[in-house]
Amino acid sequence: MKKYICLCLLAIGTVFSLFAQSQESVDWSKVDTTAVEVTTEKDGNMTMSIEYIPTTAEARFTYSCPSEDFEQDLAMLAIRERVGDFTREKGYYSYTYTRPDETSYDYANEVTLYKCYVQLTK
């Protein structure tokens, strides 16, 4: 009985090791993990900046406009529409928000910045 159990475990171990070796491994020494793709789009007095990190599939969306014209609901809507388009453009199927959105003010330039952090998933 012990020989039968040992043979079964040996066969299972062999099968699993064959599958483990057949997977393609990534040579991380040749991958630029600090690469960030930055895209800036301007529409009137509104600017949308996208910082995309391909190795981690993260994207940071920054909506900026003059402080007197800023409305948070419009900023949220613009970012949500752009996130959906960006997800499809890059070949992803869904996204999740990684942390709460941030609103900051640049008093020197009288600009409001609204930031959104997204994790893209396939």
Side-chain angles (χ1 to χ4, degrees):
M1 183 71 179
K2 287 182 183 180
K3 289 181 185 180
Y4 178 72
I5 292 174
C6 288
L7 287 175
C8 286
L9 289 176
L10 182 64
I12 291 171
T14 305
V15 169
F16 281 122
S17 66
L18 290 174
F19 284 115
Q21 291 177 359
S22 67
Q23 292 181 353
E24 185 177 320
S25 63
V26 176
D27 185 10
W28 288 102
S29 64
K30 295 181 181 179
V31 174
D32 186 10
T33 56
T34 60
V36 177
E37 297 176 15
V38 179
T39 307
T40 303
E41 303 165 356
K42 189 161 177 73
D43 182 22
N45 57 359
M46 181 276 300
T47 305
M48 177 86 65
S49 174
I50 304 168
E51 299 173 17
Y52 171 61
I53 306 167
T55 55
T56 59
E58 291 180 44
R60 297 178 194 129
F61 292 81
T62 304
Y63 175 95
S64 63
C65 73
S67 293
E68 67 259 4
D69 296 336
F70 179 74
E71 292 183 31
Q72 186 168 349
D73 57 340
L74 294 177
M76 291 172 68
L77 235 125
I79 286 180
R80 185 172 54 182
E81 288 176 7
R82 188 62 184 108
V83 168
D85 294 340
F86 186 78
T87 302
R88 286 185 291 280
E89 287 172 10
K90 294 296 181 182
Y92 294 96
Y93 298 109
S94 65
Y95 60 91
T96 57
Y97 296 99
T98 56
R99 59 176 146 167
D101 297 345
E102 298 174 357
T103 304
S104 59
Y105 304 96
D106 182 2
Y107 294 108
N109 297 321
E110 297 179 358
V111 174
T112 302
L113 303 169
Y114 185 77
K115 295 182 181 182
C116 178
Y117 303 90
V118 175
Q119 177 71 48
L120 305 170
T121 54
K122 285 195 176 192

